[in-house]
Structures are given as structure tokens and as C-alpha cells.
mmCIF file of all heavy atoms in Angstrom:
data_model
loop_
_atom_site.group_PDB
_atom_site.id
_atom_site.type_symbol
_atom_site.label_atom_id
_atom_site.label_comp_id
_atom_site.label_asym_id
_atom_site.label_seq_id
_atom_site.Cartn_x
_atom_site.Cartn_y
_atom_site.Cartn_z
ATOM 1 N N GLY B 1 14.631 -5.106 -4.204
ATOM 2 C CA GLY B 1 14.918 -5.528 -5.563
ATOM 3 C C GLY B 1 13.929 -6.486 -6.176
ATOM 4 O O GLY B 1 14.042 -6.824 -7.358
ATOM 5 N N GLY B 2 12.954 -6.941 -5.416
ATOM 6 C CA GLY B 2 11.957 -7.842 -5.957
ATOM 7 C C GLY B 2 11.017 -7.124 -6.898
ATOM 8 O O GLY B 2 10.988 -5.897 -6.975
ATOM 9 N N GLY B 3 10.247 -7.909 -7.635
ATOM 10 C CA GLY B 3 9.304 -7.335 -8.572
ATOM 11 C C GLY B 3 8.816 -8.353 -9.573
ATOM 12 O O GLY B 3 8.997 -9.556 -9.403
ATOM 13 N N LEU B 4 8.199 -7.846 -10.629
ATOM 14 C CA LEU B 4 7.660 -8.678 -11.702
ATOM 15 C C LEU B 4 8.637 -8.703 -12.866
ATOM 16 O O LEU B 4 9.102 -7.652 -13.322
ATOM 17 C CB LEU B 4 6.307 -8.129 -12.158
ATOM 18 C CG LEU B 4 5.637 -8.819 -13.339
ATOM 19 C CD1 LEU B 4 5.280 -10.257 -12.978
ATOM 20 C CD2 LEU B 4 4.404 -8.045 -13.764
ATOM 21 N N VAL B 5 8.932 -9.902 -13.348
ATOM 22 C CA VAL B 5 9.852 -10.058 -14.465
ATOM 23 C C VAL B 5 9.353 -11.177 -15.377
ATOM 24 O O VAL B 5 8.725 -12.132 -14.912
ATOM 25 C CB VAL B 5 11.286 -10.351 -13.963
ATOM 26 C CG1 VAL B 5 11.337 -11.684 -13.220
ATOM 27 C CG2 VAL B 5 12.286 -10.327 -15.104
ATOM 28 N N GLN B 6 9.621 -11.059 -16.666
ATOM 29 C CA GLN B 6 9.215 -12.084 -17.621
ATOM 30 C C GLN B 6 10.153 -13.284 -17.576
ATOM 31 O O GLN B 6 11.321 -13.150 -17.200
ATOM 32 C CB GLN B 6 9.187 -11.510 -19.036
ATOM 33 C CG GLN B 6 8.159 -10.419 -19.251
ATOM 34 C CD GLN B 6 8.073 -9.985 -20.695
ATOM 35 O OE1 GLN B 6 8.548 -10.672 -21.597
ATOM 36 N NE2 GLN B 6 7.463 -8.842 -20.925
ATOM 37 N N PRO B 7 9.657 -14.465 -17.948
ATOM 38 C CA PRO B 7 10.537 -15.635 -18.022
ATOM 39 C C PRO B 7 11.754 -15.358 -18.891
ATOM 40 O O PRO B 7 11.644 -14.746 -19.954
ATOM 41 C CB PRO B 7 9.643 -16.710 -18.641
ATOM 42 C CG PRO B 7 8.260 -16.312 -18.238
ATOM 43 C CD PRO B 7 8.268 -14.807 -18.287
ATOM 44 N N GLY B 8 12.917 -15.803 -18.425
ATOM 45 C CA GLY B 8 14.158 -15.549 -19.123
ATOM 46 C C GLY B 8 14.836 -14.256 -18.718
ATOM 47 O O GLY B 8 15.995 -14.017 -19.096
ATOM 48 N N GLY B 9 14.153 -13.441 -17.963
ATOM 49 C CA GLY B 9 14.695 -12.173 -17.526
ATOM 50 C C GLY B 9 15.614 -12.301 -16.325
ATOM 51 O O GLY B 9 15.854 -13.396 -15.819
ATOM 52 N N SER B 10 16.106 -11.159 -15.871
ATOM 53 C CA SER B 10 17.035 -11.117 -14.748
ATOM 54 C C SER B 10 16.557 -10.145 -13.687
ATOM 55 O O SER B 10 15.817 -9.202 -13.960
ATOM 56 C CB SER B 10 18.429 -10.695 -15.223
ATOM 57 O OG SER B 10 18.981 -11.620 -16.138
ATOM 58 N N LEU B 11 17.009 -10.386 -12.482
ATOM 59 C CA LEU B 11 16.673 -9.542 -11.353
ATOM 60 C C LEU B 11 17.795 -9.655 -10.336
ATOM 61 O O LEU B 11 18.384 -10.727 -10.174
ATOM 62 C CB LEU B 11 15.350 -9.996 -10.739
ATOM 63 C CG LEU B 11 14.437 -8.969 -10.062
ATOM 64 C CD1 LEU B 11 14.030 -7.880 -11.045
ATOM 65 C CD2 LEU B 11 13.197 -9.667 -9.511
ATOM 66 N N ARG B 12 18.092 -8.565 -9.650
ATOM 67 C CA ARG B 12 19.095 -8.599 -8.595
ATOM 68 C C ARG B 12 18.476 -8.177 -7.277
ATOM 69 O O ARG B 12 17.941 -7.078 -7.158
ATOM 70 C CB ARG B 12 20.290 -7.696 -8.903
ATOM 71 C CG ARG B 12 21.467 -7.932 -7.946
ATOM 72 C CD ARG B 12 22.655 -7.030 -8.206
ATOM 73 N NE ARG B 12 22.493 -5.719 -7.590
ATOM 74 C CZ ARG B 12 23.474 -5.048 -6.970
ATOM 75 N NH1 ARG B 12 24.699 -5.568 -6.902
ATOM 76 N NH2 ARG B 12 23.240 -3.856 -6.454
ATOM 77 N N LEU B 13 18.566 -9.047 -6.299
ATOM 78 C CA LEU B 13 18.083 -8.761 -4.964
ATOM 79 C C LEU B 13 19.224 -8.259 -4.092
ATOM 80 O O LEU B 13 20.360 -8.704 -4.226
ATOM 81 C CB LEU B 13 17.470 -10.007 -4.320
ATOM 82 C CG LEU B 13 16.355 -10.712 -5.093
ATOM 83 C CD1 LEU B 13 15.832 -11.891 -4.280
ATOM 84 C CD2 LEU B 13 15.237 -9.744 -5.435
ATOM 85 N N SER B 14 18.899 -7.349 -3.194
ATOM 86 C CA SER B 14 19.887 -6.822 -2.262
ATOM 87 C C SER B 14 19.364 -6.951 -0.850
ATOM 88 O O SER B 14 18.157 -6.930 -0.613
ATOM 89 C CB SER B 14 20.188 -5.348 -2.560
ATOM 90 O OG SER B 14 20.719 -5.179 -3.854
ATOM 91 N N CYS B 15 20.271 -7.068 0.080
ATOM 92 C CA CYS B 15 19.914 -7.135 1.490
ATOM 93 C C CYS B 15 20.996 -6.436 2.297
ATOM 94 O O CYS B 15 22.182 -6.740 2.141
ATOM 95 C CB CYS B 15 19.770 -8.585 1.949
ATOM 96 S SG CYS B 15 19.541 -8.792 3.736
ATOM 97 N N VAL B 16 20.582 -5.511 3.138
ATOM 98 C CA VAL B 16 21.513 -4.831 4.014
ATOM 99 C C VAL B 16 21.199 -5.207 5.452
ATOM 100 O O VAL B 16 20.038 -5.207 5.870
ATOM 101 C CB VAL B 16 21.465 -3.301 3.822
ATOM 102 C CG1 VAL B 16 20.074 -2.756 4.077
ATOM 103 C CG2 VAL B 16 22.482 -2.618 4.728
ATOM 104 N N ALA B 17 22.226 -5.556 6.192
ATOM 105 C CA ALA B 17 22.077 -5.941 7.589
ATOM 106 C C ALA B 17 22.527 -4.811 8.493
ATOM 107 O O ALA B 17 23.617 -4.263 8.326
ATOM 108 C CB ALA B 17 22.874 -7.199 7.891
ATOM 109 N N SER B 18 21.668 -4.464 9.436
ATOM 110 C CA SER B 18 22.018 -3.505 10.468
ATOM 111 C C SER B 18 22.297 -4.302 11.732
ATOM 112 O O SER B 18 21.398 -4.967 12.253
ATOM 113 C CB SER B 18 20.877 -2.513 10.689
ATOM 114 O OG SER B 18 21.172 -1.621 11.741
ATOM 115 N N ALA B 19 23.531 -4.237 12.196
ATOM 116 C CA ALA B 19 23.939 -5.097 13.305
ATOM 117 C C ALA B 19 24.834 -4.344 14.284
ATOM 118 O O ALA B 19 26.017 -4.651 14.419
ATOM 119 C CB ALA B 19 24.646 -6.334 12.777
ATOM 120 N N ASN B 20 24.261 -3.389 14.950
ATOM 121 C CA ASN B 20 24.999 -2.594 15.917
ATOM 122 C C ASN B 20 25.439 -3.463 17.091
ATOM 123 O O ASN B 20 24.614 -4.032 17.804
ATOM 124 C CB ASN B 20 24.144 -1.429 16.410
ATOM 125 C CG ASN B 20 24.920 -0.460 17.271
ATOM 126 O OD1 ASN B 20 26.129 -0.313 17.128
ATOM 127 N ND2 ASN B 20 24.226 0.221 18.162
ATOM 128 N N GLY B 21 26.736 -3.585 17.273
ATOM 129 C CA GLY B 21 27.267 -4.383 18.359
ATOM 130 C C GLY B 21 27.376 -5.860 18.051
ATOM 131 O O GLY B 21 27.756 -6.637 18.926
ATOM 132 N N PHE B 22 27.035 -6.242 16.829
ATOM 133 C CA PHE B 22 27.110 -7.633 16.397
ATOM 134 C C PHE B 22 28.012 -7.752 15.181
ATOM 135 O O PHE B 22 28.161 -6.805 14.410
ATOM 136 C CB PHE B 22 25.717 -8.172 16.040
ATOM 137 C CG PHE B 22 24.825 -8.422 17.217
ATOM 138 C CD1 PHE B 22 24.260 -7.366 17.913
ATOM 139 C CD2 PHE B 22 24.540 -9.714 17.613
ATOM 140 C CE1 PHE B 22 23.439 -7.593 18.997
ATOM 141 C CE2 PHE B 22 23.706 -9.955 18.697
ATOM 142 C CZ PHE B 22 23.156 -8.896 19.388
ATOM 143 N N SER B 23 28.575 -8.924 14.998
ATOM 144 C CA SER B 23 29.380 -9.227 13.827
ATOM 145 C C SER B 23 28.631 -10.216 12.952
ATOM 146 O O SER B 23 28.159 -11.242 13.433
ATOM 147 C CB SER B 23 30.734 -9.806 14.231
ATOM 148 O OG SER B 23 31.517 -8.840 14.911
ATOM 149 N N ILE B 24 28.533 -9.891 11.663
ATOM 150 C CA ILE B 24 27.855 -10.743 10.705
ATOM 151 C C ILE B 24 28.811 -11.810 10.202
ATOM 152 O O ILE B 24 29.943 -11.510 9.816
ATOM 153 C CB ILE B 24 27.315 -9.928 9.518
ATOM 154 C CG1 ILE B 24 26.337 -8.857 10.004
ATOM 155 C CG2 ILE B 24 26.652 -10.843 8.498
ATOM 156 C CD1 ILE B 24 25.070 -9.412 10.604
ATOM 157 N N ARG B 25 28.344 -13.043 10.177
ATOM 158 C CA ARG B 25 29.145 -14.130 9.636
ATOM 159 C C ARG B 25 28.499 -14.640 8.345
ATOM 160 O O ARG B 25 28.396 -13.880 7.379
ATOM 161 C CB ARG B 25 29.347 -15.208 10.701
ATOM 162 C CG ARG B 25 30.226 -14.705 11.857
ATOM 163 C CD ARG B 25 30.416 -15.720 12.955
ATOM 164 N NE ARG B 25 31.443 -15.316 13.908
ATOM 165 C CZ ARG B 25 31.254 -14.458 14.904
ATOM 166 N NH1 ARG B 25 30.074 -13.892 15.073
ATOM 167 N NH2 ARG B 25 32.244 -14.158 15.723
ATOM 168 N N ASP B 26 28.040 -15.873 8.314
ATOM 169 C CA ASP B 26 27.446 -16.397 7.091
ATOM 170 C C ASP B 26 26.152 -15.665 6.737
ATOM 171 O O ASP B 26 25.392 -15.247 7.617
ATOM 172 C CB ASP B 26 27.153 -17.887 7.230
ATOM 173 C CG ASP B 26 28.411 -18.716 7.354
ATOM 174 O OD1 ASP B 26 29.524 -18.168 7.222
ATOM 175 O OD2 ASP B 26 28.289 -19.939 7.583
ATOM 176 N N MET B 27 25.896 -15.522 5.447
ATOM 177 C CA MET B 27 24.663 -14.921 4.970
ATOM 178 C C MET B 27 24.080 -15.811 3.873
ATOM 179 O O MET B 27 24.768 -16.673 3.323
ATOM 180 C CB MET B 27 24.899 -13.506 4.436
ATOM 181 C CG MET B 27 25.534 -12.561 5.443
ATOM 182 S SD MET B 27 25.650 -10.848 4.860
ATOM 183 C CE MET B 27 23.957 -10.291 5.134
ATOM 184 N N GLY B 28 22.813 -15.590 3.565
ATOM 185 C CA GLY B 28 22.202 -16.414 2.546
ATOM 186 C C GLY B 28 20.836 -15.917 2.127
ATOM 187 O O GLY B 28 20.326 -14.917 2.639
ATOM 188 N N TRP B 29 20.274 -16.622 1.170
ATOM 189 C CA TRP B 29 18.932 -16.351 0.663
ATOM 190 C C TRP B 29 18.104 -17.623 0.677
ATOM 191 O O TRP B 29 18.597 -18.697 0.311
ATOM 192 C CB TRP B 29 18.977 -15.810 -0.765
ATOM 193 C CG TRP B 29 19.552 -14.435 -0.890
ATOM 194 C CD1 TRP B 29 20.847 -14.105 -1.115
ATOM 195 C CD2 TRP B 29 18.830 -13.203 -0.798
ATOM 196 N NE1 TRP B 29 20.992 -12.739 -1.179
ATOM 197 C CE2 TRP B 29 19.771 -12.162 -0.987
ATOM 198 C CE3 TRP B 29 17.491 -12.878 -0.583
ATOM 199 C CZ2 TRP B 29 19.403 -10.811 -0.965
ATOM 200 C CZ3 TRP B 29 17.127 -11.538 -0.556
ATOM 201 C CH2 TRP B 29 18.083 -10.528 -0.749
ATOM 202 N N SER B 30 16.854 -17.491 1.088
ATOM 203 C CA SER B 30 15.881 -18.567 1.031
ATOM 204 C C SER B 30 14.651 -18.052 0.310
ATOM 205 O O SER B 30 14.499 -16.846 0.116
ATOM 206 C CB SER B 30 15.514 -19.054 2.438
ATOM 207 O OG SER B 30 16.640 -19.580 3.112
ATOM 208 N N ARG B 31 13.778 -18.954 -0.083
ATOM 209 C CA ARG B 31 12.544 -18.536 -0.738
ATOM 210 C C ARG B 31 11.403 -19.458 -0.336
ATOM 211 O O ARG B 31 11.619 -20.609 0.046
ATOM 212 C CB ARG B 31 12.700 -18.531 -2.262
ATOM 213 C CG ARG B 31 12.903 -19.907 -2.888
ATOM 214 C CD ARG B 31 13.197 -19.782 -4.372
ATOM 215 N NE ARG B 31 13.365 -21.071 -5.020
ATOM 216 C CZ ARG B 31 13.726 -21.237 -6.278
ATOM 217 N NH1 ARG B 31 13.967 -20.168 -7.043
ATOM 218 N NH2 ARG B 31 13.859 -22.449 -6.783
ATOM 219 N N GLN B 32 10.194 -18.936 -0.442
ATOM 220 C CA GLN B 32 9.012 -19.708 -0.130
ATOM 221 C C GLN B 32 7.905 -19.368 -1.117
ATOM 222 O O GLN B 32 7.471 -18.222 -1.207
ATOM 223 C CB GLN B 32 8.535 -19.456 1.303
ATOM 224 C CG GLN B 32 7.411 -20.374 1.740
ATOM 225 C CD GLN B 32 7.184 -20.327 3.238
ATOM 226 O OE1 GLN B 32 7.491 -19.347 3.896
ATOM 227 N NE2 GLN B 32 6.647 -21.411 3.778
#
């Protein structure tokens, strides 16, 4: 979902976790 957008615009990021045999708990987003 990332890309180039003008100031004031909107964007939606998505993330899918593949966790075979694991259970997902807390999730989040960071940036650098």
C-alpha cells in the first residue's frame, strides 16, 4: 500500500501475517 502521495492526501497500508503454528497477539506499525 505504500507509494507517492501529495501533502494532505491519504494512503492505507496493509500487512498480512503468515504464522503457521503460531498465534498472533499485538500488532503495530513503525517507520524510519
Side-chain angles (χ1 to χ4, degrees):
L4 176 64
V5 64
Q6 296 186 16
S10 297
L11 210 59
R12 191 181 82 139
L13 305 182
S14 299
C15 172
V16 58
S18 177
N20 188 28
F22 287 73
S23 294
I24 301 294
R25 293 178 169 81
D26 294 354
M27 303 186 79
W29 291 91
S30 298
R31 66 186 181 185
Q32 188 167 25

